[in-house]
Amino acid sequence: MKILLVEDHQESRHNLQRLIERRGHEVHGVGSAEEARRALELQKFPFLILDWMLPGKSGIELCRELRAEPSGDEMFILLVTARGDTEDLEQALA
């Protein structure tokens, strides 16, 4: 499966990418929502692993934008965060 991994912490991104690739998946890693947008313009990814806290546009903002597009429900999005408030969880699920 082709996976887009969006994580701003370079070491974490590389570690996650290696782990996922060992499972046989093709992973394209980027460090920002803006880079993710450019990658999505070039190819489709059925699965997106998205960090909530990113420089510039946040992961939750990118998630909202992607879901608002006509084909926004065609991709599985895993939103990763260290945030633990109930309000944050409700916001992510919305």
Side-chain angles (χ1 to χ4, degrees):
M1 176 182 292
K2 287 171 57 171
I3 298 172
L4 179 59
L5 171 62
V6 188
E7 167 61 62
D8 61 319
H9 187 263
Q10 186 176 6
E11 186 176 343
S12 295
R13 183 173 64 245
H14 286 137
N15 288 336
L16 281 169
Q17 186 167 347
R18 278 195 313 263
L19 286 170
I20 297 167
E21 287 173 342
R22 285 184 195 158
R23 301 280 183 174
H25 301 286
E26 179 184 338
V27 181
H28 181 77
V30 297
S32 71
E34 292 77 16
E35 289 177 287
R37 268 291 190 193
R38 288 190 290 277
L40 289 164
E41 289 172 3
L42 298 174
Q43 59 184 307
K44 290 190 177 213
F45 293 91
F47 188 26
L48 176 68
I49 301 174
L50 179 59
D51 186 10
W52 183 313
M53 305 291 280
L54 295 169
K57 186 186 303 182
S58 74
I60 194 78
E61 289 175 285
L62 176 60
C63 183
R64 284 187 188 123
E65 289 176 5
L66 293 173
R67 289 294 188 223
E69 293 178 358
S71 61
D73 62 347
E74 295 177 7
M75 157 188 337
F76 180 78
I77 299 175
L78 175 63
L79 189 61
V80 180
T81 183
R83 299 170 72 119
D85 288 347
T86 302
E87 183 179 307
D88 292 330
L89 177 59
E90 290 173 357
Q91 185 180 11
L93 291 173

